[in-house]
Amino acid sequence: MISKKIYYLWGLFPPQEIEYLNFIKDKVQTKLISPCFDLHITLAGPFLDIDKTFISKLKSFGEVNSSIVLHADGYRFKQEIFKSFYISIKDSLHLHELRKNIYKLNKFDLDNNYSPHISLCYGNYQIEEKKELISKLPDFSKLVTVSKIALVEINKDINKWKIQRSFDLN
């Protein structure tokens, strides 16, 4: 069977924020076992094909677009594998503008009911487990900075996410 690869653009965070986010993610994943993935916010996709021109455009994109600050809005969960347990992000004008600028590089479904979040685990878990976990985690209503964009290859057949390239935002 040939596995199908698709691509997304993720927003990545600066090292000091990654350190704290990983601290929280590790606490979550001691209770809710999950596949391994880098902490991120999905910005755009899916893209079925990526070429060198798009990668060159991404590099230029990073040079002319600035980091953005996001407002975290606490922990949330859904009964969906890839939104099982996450930090909710308030929608903002800056986030919309960043996504619109990406859309100009390579079209994607901009109006796909985008729900900005930072996943802390993937999987199927009981609602009660998730509620109990929230009560044991530190408050997370903080500011989070997107300082890089990353092109990520996803193999959905085997739940594997690989960052192909990343570019600093100005």
Side-chain angles (χ1 to χ4, degrees), residues 5 7-8 11 24-26 29 36 41 49 53 80 94 104 106 115-116 121 123-125 129 144-145 158:
K5 295 178 183 175
Y7 301 86
Y8 281 82
I24 303 251
K25 180 179 152 190
D26 291 347
Q29 291 190 9
C36 294
I41 180 169
D49 290 311
T53 303
E80 298 175 29
H94 295 297
K104 292 174 188 174
N106 196 343
S115 172
C121 77
N124 291 313
Y125 307 99
E129 284 181 284
V144 182
T145 304
I158 58 172

PDB file of all heavy atoms in Angstrom, residues 5 7-8 11 24-26 29 36 41 49 53 80 94 104 106 115-116 121 123-125 129 144-145 158:
ATOM      1  N   LYS A   5       1.132  11.210   1.217  1.00  0.00           N
ATOM      2  CA  LYS A   5       1.744  12.308   1.945  1.00  0.00           C
ATOM      3  C   LYS A   5       1.043  13.603   1.568  1.00  0.00           C
ATOM      4  O   LYS A   5       0.703  13.826   0.413  1.00  0.00           O
ATOM      5  CB  LYS A   5       3.229  12.414   1.617  1.00  0.00           C
ATOM      6  CG  LYS A   5       4.017  11.223   2.090  1.00  0.00           C
ATOM      7  CD  LYS A   5       5.464  11.333   1.704  1.00  0.00           C
ATOM      8  CE  LYS A   5       6.214  10.084   2.125  1.00  0.00           C
ATOM      9  NZ  LYS A   5       7.587  10.094   1.678  1.00  0.00           N
ATOM     10  N   TYR A   7       0.950  17.993   2.916  1.00  0.00           N
ATOM     11  CA  TYR A   7       1.777  19.003   3.565  1.00  0.00           C
ATOM     12  C   TYR A   7       0.901  20.061   4.228  1.00  0.00           C
ATOM     13  O   TYR A   7      -0.175  20.390   3.734  1.00  0.00           O
ATOM     14  CB  TYR A   7       2.694  19.670   2.525  1.00  0.00           C
ATOM     15  CG  TYR A   7       3.592  18.687   1.842  1.00  0.00           C
ATOM     16  CD1 TYR A   7       3.159  17.985   0.719  1.00  0.00           C
ATOM     17  CD2 TYR A   7       4.864  18.441   2.332  1.00  0.00           C
ATOM     18  CE1 TYR A   7       3.988  17.064   0.100  1.00  0.00           C
ATOM     19  CE2 TYR A   7       5.698  17.517   1.712  1.00  0.00           C
ATOM     20  CZ  TYR A   7       5.246  16.829   0.596  1.00  0.00           C
ATOM     21  OH  TYR A   7       6.060  15.922  -0.004  1.00  0.00           O
ATOM     22  N   TYR A   8       1.390  20.575   5.331  1.00  0.00           N
ATOM     23  CA  TYR A   8       0.756  21.680   6.039  1.00  0.00           C
ATOM     24  C   TYR A   8       1.823  22.699   6.400  1.00  0.00           C
ATOM     25  O   TYR A   8       3.016  22.378   6.436  1.00  0.00           O
ATOM     26  CB  TYR A   8       0.093  21.191   7.336  1.00  0.00           C
ATOM     27  CG  TYR A   8      -1.248  20.528   7.137  1.00  0.00           C
ATOM     28  CD1 TYR A   8      -1.349  19.199   6.759  1.00  0.00           C
ATOM     29  CD2 TYR A   8      -2.435  21.243   7.331  1.00  0.00           C
ATOM     30  CE1 TYR A   8      -2.582  18.591   6.575  1.00  0.00           C
ATOM     31  CE2 TYR A   8      -3.665  20.642   7.157  1.00  0.00           C
ATOM     32  CZ  TYR A   8      -3.734  19.317   6.780  1.00  0.00           C
ATOM     33  OH  TYR A   8      -4.948  18.723   6.604  1.00  0.00           O
ATOM     34  N   GLY A  11       2.908  26.964  12.542  1.00  0.00           N
ATOM     35  CA  GLY A  11       3.588  28.030  13.246  1.00  0.00           C
ATOM     36  C   GLY A  11       4.339  27.405  14.413  1.00  0.00           C
ATOM     37  O   GLY A  11       3.803  26.550  15.114  1.00  0.00           O
ATOM     38  N   ILE A  24       4.127  21.383  29.924  1.00  0.00           N
ATOM     39  CA  ILE A  24       2.683  21.118  29.999  1.00  0.00           C
ATOM     40  C   ILE A  24       2.334  19.856  29.188  1.00  0.00           C
ATOM     41  O   ILE A  24       1.586  18.998  29.666  1.00  0.00           O
ATOM     42  CB  ILE A  24       1.892  22.329  29.448  1.00  0.00           C
ATOM     43  CG1 ILE A  24       2.262  23.568  30.220  1.00  0.00           C
ATOM     44  CG2 ILE A  24       0.408  22.024  29.382  1.00  0.00           C
ATOM     45  CD1 ILE A  24       1.283  24.151  31.134  1.00  0.00           C
ATOM     46  N   LYS A  25       2.867  19.779  27.970  1.00  0.00           N
ATOM     47  CA  LYS A  25       2.586  18.615  27.111  1.00  0.00           C
ATOM     48  C   LYS A  25       3.013  17.322  27.807  1.00  0.00           C
ATOM     49  O   LYS A  25       2.283  16.320  27.771  1.00  0.00           O
ATOM     50  CB  LYS A  25       3.305  18.781  25.772  1.00  0.00           C
ATOM     51  CG  LYS A  25       3.085  17.637  24.795  1.00  0.00           C
ATOM     52  CD  LYS A  25       3.834  17.922  23.495  1.00  0.00           C
ATOM     53  CE  LYS A  25       4.226  16.673  22.790  1.00  0.00           C
ATOM     54  NZ  LYS A  25       5.133  16.874  21.685  1.00  0.00           N
ATOM     55  N   ASP A  26       4.184  17.335  28.447  1.00  0.00           N
ATOM     56  CA  ASP A  26       4.661  16.138  29.156  1.00  0.00           C
ATOM     57  C   ASP A  26       3.710  15.754  30.283  1.00  0.00           C
ATOM     58  O   ASP A  26       3.441  14.569  30.500  1.00  0.00           O
ATOM     59  CB  ASP A  26       6.071  16.355  29.705  1.00  0.00           C
ATOM     60  CG  ASP A  26       7.120  16.431  28.598  1.00  0.00           C
ATOM     61  OD1 ASP A  26       6.813  16.074  27.439  1.00  0.00           O
ATOM     62  OD2 ASP A  26       8.249  16.896  28.889  1.00  0.00           O
ATOM     63  N   GLN A  29       0.719  14.166  28.658  1.00  0.00           N
ATOM     64  CA  GLN A  29       0.974  12.854  28.076  1.00  0.00           C
ATOM     65  C   GLN A  29       1.380  11.793  29.096  1.00  0.00           C
ATOM     66  O   GLN A  29       1.489  10.621  28.740  1.00  0.00           O
ATOM     67  CB  GLN A  29       1.977  12.968  26.931  1.00  0.00           C
ATOM     68  CG  GLN A  29       1.355  13.700  25.755  1.00  0.00           C
ATOM     69  CD  GLN A  29       2.188  13.642  24.494  1.00  0.00           C
ATOM     70  OE1 GLN A  29       3.179  12.929  24.406  1.00  0.00           O
ATOM     71  NE2 GLN A  29       1.765  14.386  23.498  1.00  0.00           N
ATOM     72  N   CYS A  36       4.147  10.935  19.089  1.00  0.00           N
ATOM     73  CA  CYS A  36       5.076  12.068  19.218  1.00  0.00           C
ATOM     74  C   CYS A  36       4.855  13.076  18.094  1.00  0.00           C
ATOM     75  O   CYS A  36       4.676  12.689  16.950  1.00  0.00           O
ATOM     76  CB  CYS A  36       6.518  11.576  19.164  1.00  0.00           C
ATOM     77  SG  CYS A  36       6.958  10.554  20.564  1.00  0.00           S
ATOM     78  N   ILE A  41       1.087  25.358  15.986  1.00  0.00           N
ATOM     79  CA  ILE A  41      -0.256  25.750  15.622  1.00  0.00           C
ATOM     80  C   ILE A  41      -0.333  25.587  14.105  1.00  0.00           C
ATOM     81  O   ILE A  41       0.550  26.050  13.375  1.00  0.00           O
ATOM     82  CB  ILE A  41      -0.605  27.196  16.050  1.00  0.00           C
ATOM     83  CG1 ILE A  41      -2.037  27.541  15.634  1.00  0.00           C
ATOM     84  CG2 ILE A  41       0.403  28.206  15.539  1.00  0.00           C
ATOM     85  CD1 ILE A  41      -2.559  28.845  16.244  1.00  0.00           C
ATOM     86  N   ASP A  49       0.840  18.950  -3.239  1.00  0.00           N
ATOM     87  CA  ASP A  49       2.153  18.980  -3.876  1.00  0.00           C
ATOM     88  C   ASP A  49       2.896  20.243  -3.471  1.00  0.00           C
ATOM     89  O   ASP A  49       2.300  21.309  -3.387  1.00  0.00           O
ATOM     90  CB  ASP A  49       2.018  18.977  -5.406  1.00  0.00           C
ATOM     91  CG  ASP A  49       1.515  17.655  -5.924  1.00  0.00           C
ATOM     92  OD1 ASP A  49       2.079  16.615  -5.526  1.00  0.00           O
ATOM     93  OD2 ASP A  49       0.569  17.655  -6.736  1.00  0.00           O
ATOM     94  N   THR A  53       9.602  26.224  -6.008  1.00  0.00           N
ATOM     95  CA  THR A  53       9.115  27.607  -6.082  1.00  0.00           C
ATOM     96  C   THR A  53       8.380  27.977  -4.805  1.00  0.00           C
ATOM     97  O   THR A  53       8.583  29.059  -4.251  1.00  0.00           O
ATOM     98  CB  THR A  53       8.184  27.783  -7.310  1.00  0.00           C
ATOM     99  OG1 THR A  53       8.897  27.403  -8.477  1.00  0.00           O
ATOM    100  CG2 THR A  53       7.702  29.206  -7.428  1.00  0.00           C
ATOM    101  N   GLU A  80     -12.328  14.262  19.167  1.00  0.00           N
ATOM    102  CA  GLU A  80     -11.710  14.101  17.856  1.00  0.00           C
ATOM    103  C   GLU A  80     -10.246  13.754  18.086  1.00  0.00           C
ATOM    104  O   GLU A  80      -9.592  14.348  18.944  1.00  0.00           O
ATOM    105  CB  GLU A  80     -11.778  15.406  17.052  1.00  0.00           C
ATOM    106  CG  GLU A  80     -13.171  15.904  16.754  1.00  0.00           C
ATOM    107  CD  GLU A  80     -13.158  17.262  16.056  1.00  0.00           C
ATOM    108  OE1 GLU A  80     -12.190  17.571  15.324  1.00  0.00           O
ATOM    109  OE2 GLU A  80     -14.129  18.007  16.255  1.00  0.00           O
ATOM    110  N   HIS A  94      -4.310  39.555  13.540  1.00  0.00           N
ATOM    111  CA  HIS A  94      -2.939  39.197  13.131  1.00  0.00           C
ATOM    112  C   HIS A  94      -2.879  37.772  12.570  1.00  0.00           C
ATOM    113  O   HIS A  94      -2.201  37.519  11.576  1.00  0.00           O
ATOM    114  CB  HIS A  94      -1.958  39.344  14.292  1.00  0.00           C
ATOM    115  CG  HIS A  94      -1.785  40.748  14.763  1.00  0.00           C
ATOM    116  ND1 HIS A  94      -1.266  41.742  13.970  1.00  0.00           N
ATOM    117  CD2 HIS A  94      -2.063  41.322  15.951  1.00  0.00           C
ATOM    118  CE1 HIS A  94      -1.241  42.878  14.642  1.00  0.00           C
ATOM    119  NE2 HIS A  94      -1.719  42.648  15.852  1.00  0.00           N
ATOM    120  N   LYS A 104      -2.031  33.672  -0.344  1.00  0.00           N
ATOM    121  CA  LYS A 104      -1.534  34.305  -1.579  1.00  0.00           C
ATOM    122  C   LYS A 104      -0.363  33.531  -2.175  1.00  0.00           C
ATOM    123  O   LYS A 104      -0.153  33.568  -3.387  1.00  0.00           O
ATOM    124  CB  LYS A 104      -1.108  35.756  -1.292  1.00  0.00           C
ATOM    125  CG  LYS A 104      -2.273  36.661  -0.949  1.00  0.00           C
ATOM    126  CD  LYS A 104      -1.771  38.032  -0.532  1.00  0.00           C
ATOM    127  CE  LYS A 104      -2.896  38.901   0.000  1.00  0.00           C
ATOM    128  NZ  LYS A 104      -2.401  40.170   0.544  1.00  0.00           N
ATOM    129  N   ASN A 106       0.095  30.084  -1.899  1.00  0.00           N
ATOM    130  CA  ASN A 106      -0.389  28.789  -2.390  1.00  0.00           C
ATOM    131  C   ASN A 106      -1.786  28.582  -1.817  1.00  0.00           C
ATOM    132  O   ASN A 106      -1.949  28.450  -0.612  1.00  0.00           O
ATOM    133  CB  ASN A 106       0.560  27.673  -1.941  1.00  0.00           C
ATOM    134  CG  ASN A 106       0.367  26.399  -2.710  1.00  0.00           C
ATOM    135  OD1 ASN A 106      -0.649  26.196  -3.366  1.00  0.00           O
ATOM    136  ND2 ASN A 106       1.348  25.518  -2.617  1.00  0.00           N
ATOM    137  N   SER A 115     -10.002  26.500  13.507  1.00  0.00           N
ATOM    138  CA  SER A 115     -10.092  26.552  14.961  1.00  0.00           C
ATOM    139  C   SER A 115      -8.666  26.551  15.514  1.00  0.00           C
ATOM    140  O   SER A 115      -8.078  25.484  15.725  1.00  0.00           O
ATOM    141  CB  SER A 115     -10.865  25.326  15.452  1.00  0.00           C
ATOM    142  OG  SER A 115     -10.826  25.238  16.834  1.00  0.00           O
ATOM    143  N   PRO A 116      -8.085  27.739  15.733  1.00  0.00           N
ATOM    144  CA  PRO A 116      -6.679  27.784  16.156  1.00  0.00           C
ATOM    145  C   PRO A 116      -6.465  27.158  17.533  1.00  0.00           C
ATOM    146  O   PRO A 116      -7.206  27.440  18.475  1.00  0.00           O
ATOM    147  CB  PRO A 116      -6.359  29.278  16.166  1.00  0.00           C
ATOM    148  CG  PRO A 116      -7.666  29.985  16.175  1.00  0.00           C
ATOM    149  CD  PRO A 116      -8.688  29.054  15.623  1.00  0.00           C
ATOM    150  N   CYS A 121      -2.021  16.504  22.926  1.00  0.00           N
ATOM    151  CA  CYS A 121      -2.007  15.058  22.682  1.00  0.00           C
ATOM    152  C   CYS A 121      -3.016  14.732  21.589  1.00  0.00           C
ATOM    153  O   CYS A 121      -3.931  15.518  21.327  1.00  0.00           O
ATOM    154  CB  CYS A 121      -2.284  14.255  23.945  1.00  0.00           C
ATOM    155  SG  CYS A 121      -4.005  14.202  24.427  1.00  0.00           S
ATOM    156  N   GLY A 123      -5.487  11.423  20.202  1.00  0.00           N
ATOM    157  CA  GLY A 123      -6.016  10.117  20.584  1.00  0.00           C
ATOM    158  C   GLY A 123      -7.459  10.193  21.036  1.00  0.00           C
ATOM    159  O   GLY A 123      -8.078  11.264  21.027  1.00  0.00           O
ATOM    160  N   ASN A 124      -7.977   9.050  21.429  1.00  0.00           N
ATOM    161  CA  ASN A 124      -9.348   8.955  21.952  1.00  0.00           C
ATOM    162  C   ASN A 124      -9.295   8.677  23.449  1.00  0.00           C
ATOM    163  O   ASN A 124      -8.705   7.675  23.875  1.00  0.00           O
ATOM    164  CB  ASN A 124     -10.101   7.804  21.255  1.00  0.00           C
ATOM    165  CG  ASN A 124     -10.374   8.117  19.807  1.00  0.00           C
ATOM    166  OD1 ASN A 124     -10.835   9.201  19.485  1.00  0.00           O
ATOM    167  ND2 ASN A 124     -10.095   7.166  18.930  1.00  0.00           N
ATOM    168  N   TYR A 125      -9.885   9.560  24.219  1.00  0.00           N
ATOM    169  CA  TYR A 125      -9.876   9.419  25.674  1.00  0.00           C
ATOM    170  C   TYR A 125     -11.250   9.774  26.225  1.00  0.00           C
ATOM    171  O   TYR A 125     -12.020  10.502  25.600  1.00  0.00           O
ATOM    172  CB  TYR A 125      -8.808  10.336  26.306  1.00  0.00           C
ATOM    173  CG  TYR A 125      -7.461  10.122  25.703  1.00  0.00           C
ATOM    174  CD1 TYR A 125      -6.970  10.966  24.719  1.00  0.00           C
ATOM    175  CD2 TYR A 125      -6.679   9.031  26.079  1.00  0.00           C
ATOM    176  CE1 TYR A 125      -5.740  10.743  24.123  1.00  0.00           C
ATOM    177  CE2 TYR A 125      -5.445   8.810  25.497  1.00  0.00           C
ATOM    178  CZ  TYR A 125      -4.983   9.666  24.514  1.00  0.00           C
ATOM    179  OH  TYR A 125      -3.775   9.442  23.936  1.00  0.00           O
ATOM    180  N   GLU A 129     -11.645  11.762  32.030  1.00  0.00           N
ATOM    181  CA  GLU A 129     -10.179  11.812  32.151  1.00  0.00           C
ATOM    182  C   GLU A 129      -9.663  13.205  31.807  1.00  0.00           C
ATOM    183  O   GLU A 129      -8.774  13.740  32.476  1.00  0.00           O
ATOM    184  CB  GLU A 129      -9.520  10.831  31.174  1.00  0.00           C
ATOM    185  CG  GLU A 129      -9.564   9.379  31.539  1.00  0.00           C
ATOM    186  CD  GLU A 129      -8.857   8.545  30.485  1.00  0.00           C
ATOM    187  OE1 GLU A 129      -9.442   8.327  29.406  1.00  0.00           O
ATOM    188  OE2 GLU A 129      -7.708   8.126  30.751  1.00  0.00           O
ATOM    189  N   VAL A 144       1.436  33.712  23.493  1.00  0.00           N
ATOM    190  CA  VAL A 144       2.345  32.771  22.839  1.00  0.00           C
ATOM    191  C   VAL A 144       2.754  33.391  21.509  1.00  0.00           C
ATOM    192  O   VAL A 144       1.912  33.913  20.783  1.00  0.00           O
ATOM    193  CB  VAL A 144       1.654  31.412  22.593  1.00  0.00           C
ATOM    194  CG1 VAL A 144       2.608  30.430  21.967  1.00  0.00           C
ATOM    195  CG2 VAL A 144       1.086  30.851  23.884  1.00  0.00           C
ATOM    196  N   THR A 145       4.036  33.326  21.196  1.00  0.00           N
ATOM    197  CA  THR A 145       4.556  33.947  19.977  1.00  0.00           C
ATOM    198  C   THR A 145       4.805  32.907  18.893  1.00  0.00           C
ATOM    199  O   THR A 145       5.437  31.878  19.150  1.00  0.00           O
ATOM    200  CB  THR A 145       5.882  34.674  20.283  1.00  0.00           C
ATOM    201  OG1 THR A 145       5.666  35.607  21.338  1.00  0.00           O
ATOM    202  CG2 THR A 145       6.406  35.405  19.055  1.00  0.00           C
ATOM    203  N   ILE A 158       0.446   6.457   8.935  1.00  0.00           N
ATOM    204  CA  ILE A 158       1.241   5.984  10.081  1.00  0.00           C
ATOM    205  C   ILE A 158       1.411   7.058  11.161  1.00  0.00           C
ATOM    206  O   ILE A 158       2.266   6.929  12.020  1.00  0.00           O
ATOM    207  CB  ILE A 158       2.621   5.451   9.625  1.00  0.00           C
ATOM    208  CG1 ILE A 158       3.418   6.536   8.879  1.00  0.00           C
ATOM    209  CG2 ILE A 158       2.462   4.206   8.775  1.00  0.00           C
ATOM    210  CD1 ILE A 158       4.855   6.146   8.584  1.00  0.00           C
TER     211      ILE A 158
END
